[in-house]
Coordinates of all heavy atoms in Angstrom, one line a residue:
D75 N -0.9 -18.3 -11.3 CA 0.1 -19.1 -10.5 C 1.1 -18.1 -9.9 O 1.0 -16.9 -9.9 CB 0.9 -20.0 -11.5 CG 1.6 -19.3 -12.7 OD1 1.9 -18.1 -12.5 OD2 1.7 -19.8 -13.8
V76 N 2.0 -18.7 -9.1 CA 2.9 -18.0 -8.2 C 3.8 -17.0 -9.0 O 3.9 -15.8 -8.6 CB 3.7 -18.9 -7.3 CG1 4.7 -18.1 -6.5 CG2 2.8 -19.7 -6.4
L77 N 4.4 -17.5 -10.0 CA 5.3 -16.7 -10.8 C 4.5 -15.5 -11.5 O 5.0 -14.4 -11.6 CB 6.1 -17.5 -11.8 CG 7.1 -18.4 -11.2 CD1 7.9 -19.2 -12.2 CD2 8.1 -17.6 -10.3
G78 N 3.3 -15.8 -11.9 CA 2.4 -14.8 -12.4 C 2.2 -13.6 -11.4 O 2.1 -12.5 -11.7
M79 N 2.1 -14.1 -10.1 CA 1.8 -13.1 -9.1 C 3.1 -12.2 -8.9 O 3.0 -11.0 -8.6 CB 1.3 -13.8 -7.8 CG 0.9 -12.7 -6.8 SD -0.4 -11.7 -7.3 CE -1.9 -12.7 -7.0
V80 N 4.2 -12.9 -8.8 CA 5.5 -12.2 -8.6 C 5.6 -11.1 -9.7 O 5.9 -9.9 -9.5 CB 6.7 -13.1 -8.7 CG1 8.1 -12.4 -8.7 CG2 6.6 -14.1 -7.5
D81 N 5.4 -11.5 -10.9 CA 5.4 -10.7 -12.1 C 4.5 -9.4 -11.9 O 4.8 -8.3 -12.2 CB 5.1 -11.5 -13.4 CG 5.0 -10.6 -14.6 OD1 6.1 -10.0 -15.0 OD2 3.9 -10.4 -15.2
A82 N 3.2 -9.7 -11.5 CA 2.2 -8.7 -11.4 C 2.6 -7.7 -10.4 O 2.4 -6.5 -10.5 CB 0.8 -9.3 -11.0
I83 N 3.2 -8.2 -9.2 CA 3.6 -7.3 -8.2 C 4.9 -6.5 -8.7 O 4.9 -5.3 -8.5 CB 4.0 -8.0 -6.9 CG1 2.7 -8.7 -6.3 CG2 4.6 -7.1 -5.9 CD1 3.0 -9.7 -5.1
Y84 N 5.8 -7.2 -9.3 CA 7.1 -6.4 -9.7 C 6.7 -5.3 -10.7 O 7.3 -4.2 -10.6 CB 8.1 -7.4 -10.2 CG 9.3 -6.6 -10.7 CD1 10.2 -6.0 -9.8 CD2 9.5 -6.4 -12.1 CE1 11.2 -5.2 -10.3 CE2 10.6 -5.6 -12.6 CZ 11.4 -5.0 -11.6 OH 12.4 -4.2 -12.0
R85 N 5.9 -5.7 -11.7 CA 5.8 -4.6 -12.7 C 4.6 -3.7 -12.4 O 4.2 -2.9 -13.2 CB 5.6 -5.3 -14.1 CG 4.4 -6.2 -14.3 CD 4.3 -6.8 -15.6 NE 3.1 -7.6 -15.7 CZ 1.9 -7.0 -15.9 NH1 1.8 -5.8 -16.1 NH2 0.8 -7.8 -15.8
L86 N 4.0 -3.8 -11.2 CA 3.1 -2.8 -10.7 C 1.7 -2.9 -11.3 O 1.0 -1.9 -11.3 CB 3.7 -1.4 -10.8 CG 4.6 -0.8 -9.7 CD1 5.8 -1.7 -9.5 CD2 5.1 0.6 -10.0
A87 N 1.4 -4.1 -11.8 CA 0.0 -4.3 -12.2 C -0.9 -4.2 -11.0 O -2.0 -3.7 -11.0 CB -0.2 -5.7 -12.8
V88 N -0.3 -4.7 -9.9 CA -0.9 -4.5 -8.5 C 0.1 -3.8 -7.7 O 1.3 -4.2 -7.8 CB -1.5 -5.8 -7.9 CG1 -0.4 -6.8 -7.7 CG2 -2.2 -5.5 -6.5
R89 N -0.2 -2.7 -7.0 CA 0.8 -2.0 -6.3 C 0.1 -1.2 -5.1 O -1.1 -1.3 -5.0 CB 1.7 -1.1 -7.1 CG 1.1 -0.5 -8.4 CD 0.0 0.6 -8.2 NE 0.5 1.5 -7.1 CZ -0.4 2.2 -6.4 NH1 -1.7 2.0 -6.5 NH2 0.0 3.1 -5.5
G90 N 1.0 -0.7 -4.2 CA 0.4 -0.1 -3.0 C 0.6 -1.1 -1.9 O 0.2 -2.3 -2.1
A91 N 1.1 -0.7 -0.8 CA 1.5 -1.7 0.3 C 0.4 -2.7 0.7 O 0.6 -3.9 0.6 CB 2.0 -0.9 1.5
P92 N -0.8 -2.2 1.1 CA -1.8 -3.2 1.5 C -2.3 -4.1 0.4 O -2.4 -5.3 0.6 CB -3.0 -2.4 2.0 CG -2.4 -1.0 2.4 CD -1.3 -0.9 1.3
A93 N -2.4 -3.6 -0.8 CA -2.8 -4.4 -2.0 C -1.7 -5.5 -2.2 O -2.0 -6.6 -2.6 CB -3.0 -3.6 -3.1
I94 N -0.5 -5.1 -2.1 CA 0.6 -6.0 -2.3 C 0.6 -7.2 -1.3 O 0.8 -8.4 -1.5 CB 2.0 -5.4 -2.2 CG1 2.2 -4.4 -3.4 CG2 3.1 -6.4 -2.2 CD1 3.4 -3.5 -3.3
G95 N 0.2 -6.9 0.0 CA 0.0 -7.9 1.1 C -1.1 -8.9 0.7 O -0.9 -10.1 0.8
V96 N -2.2 -8.3 0.2 CA -3.3 -9.2 -0.1 C -2.9 -10.1 -1.3 O -3.2 -11.3 -1.4 CB -4.6 -8.3 -0.4 CG1 -5.7 -9.2 -1.0 CG2 -5.1 -7.6 0.8
A97 N -2.3 -9.5 -2.3 CA -1.8 -10.2 -3.5 C -0.9 -11.3 -3.1 O -1.0 -12.4 -3.7 CB -1.2 -9.2 -4.5
A98 N 0.0 -11.0 -2.1 CA 0.9 -12.1 -1.7 C 0.2 -13.3 -1.1 O 0.5 -14.4 -1.4 CB 1.9 -11.5 -0.8
A99 N -0.9 -13.0 -0.2 CA -1.6 -14.0 0.4 C -2.4 -14.8 -0.7 O -2.4 -16.1 -0.6 CB -2.6 -13.4 1.4
F100 N -2.9 -14.1 -1.7 CA -3.6 -14.8 -2.8 C -2.6 -15.7 -3.5 O -2.9 -16.8 -4.1 CB -4.2 -13.8 -3.7 CG -5.6 -13.2 -3.2 CD1 -6.2 -12.2 -3.9 CD2 -6.2 -13.8 -2.1 CE1 -7.4 -11.6 -3.4 CE2 -7.5 -13.3 -1.7 CZ -8.0 -12.2 -2.3
G101 N -1.4 -15.1 -3.6 CA -0.3 -15.8 -4.4 C 0.0 -17.2 -3.7 O 0.2 -18.2 -4.4
V102 N 0.0 -17.2 -2.4 CA 0.2 -18.5 -1.6 C -0.9 -19.4 -2.0 O -0.8 -20.6 -2.2 CB 0.3 -18.2 -0.1 CG1 0.3 -19.6 0.6 CG2 1.6 -17.4 0.2
M103 N -2.1 -18.9 -2.0 CA -3.3 -19.7 -2.3 C -3.2 -20.3 -3.7 O -3.5 -21.5 -3.9 CB -4.6 -18.9 -2.1 CG -5.0 -18.6 -0.7 SD -6.2 -17.2 -0.6 CE -7.6 -17.8 -1.5
L104 N -2.8 -19.5 -4.6 CA -2.5 -20.1 -6.0 C -1.5 -21.2 -6.0 O -1.7 -22.2 -6.7 CB -2.0 -18.9 -6.9 CG -3.0 -17.9 -7.3 CD1 -2.3 -16.7 -8.1 CD2 -4.2 -18.4 -8.1
G105 N -0.5 -21.0 -5.1 CA 0.6 -22.0 -5.1 C 0.2 -23.3 -4.5 O 0.8 -24.4 -4.8
V106 N -0.7 -23.3 -3.5 CA -1.0 -24.5 -2.8 C -2.3 -25.2 -3.3 O -2.6 -26.3 -2.9 CB -1.1 -24.3 -1.3 CG1 0.2 -23.8 -0.7 CG2 -2.2 -23.4 -0.9
Q107 N -3.0 -24.5 -4.2 CA -4.4 -25.0 -4.4 C -4.4 -26.3 -5.1 O -5.4 -27.1 -5.0 CB -5.2 -23.9 -5.2 CG -4.7 -23.6 -6.6 CD -5.7 -22.6 -7.2 OE1 -6.8 -22.4 -6.7 NE2 -5.3 -22.0 -8.3
E108 N -3.4 -26.7 -5.9 CA -3.4 -28.0 -6.5 C -2.8 -29.1 -5.7 O -2.8 -30.3 -6.1 CB -2.6 -28.0 -7.8 CG -3.1 -26.9 -8.8 CD -4.5 -27.2 -9.5 OE1 -5.1 -28.2 -9.1 OE2 -5.0 -26.3 -10.3
L109 N -2.2 -28.8 -4.5 CA -1.6 -29.8 -3.7 C -2.7 -30.8 -3.1 O -3.7 -30.3 -2.5 CB -0.8 -29.2 -2.5 CG 0.3 -28.2 -2.9 CD1 1.0 -27.7 -1.6 CD2 1.3 -28.8 -3.8
R110 N -2.4 -32.1 -3.2 CA -3.4 -33.0 -2.7 C -2.6 -34.2 -2.2 O -1.7 -34.7 -2.8 CB -4.4 -33.5 -3.7 CG -5.4 -32.3 -3.9 CD -6.6 -32.8 -4.9 NE -7.1 -31.6 -5.5 CZ -7.8 -30.7 -5.1 NH1 -8.3 -30.8 -3.9 NH2 -8.2 -29.6 -5.7
G111 N -3.0 -34.7 -1.0 CA -2.5 -35.9 -0.5 C -1.1 -35.8 0.0 O -0.4 -36.8 0.2

Side-chain angles (χ1 to χ4, degrees):
D75 57 29
V76 175
L77 291 181
M79 187 59 86
V80 172
D81 175 67
I83 295 173
Y84 176 71
R85 62 181 185 79
L86 277 54
V88 61
R89 28 74 42 212
I94 292 173
V96 173
F100 284 168
V102 173
M103 288 160 62
L104 290 173
V106 298
Q107 65 178 346
E108 306 288 1
L109 302 183
R110 286 186 209 278

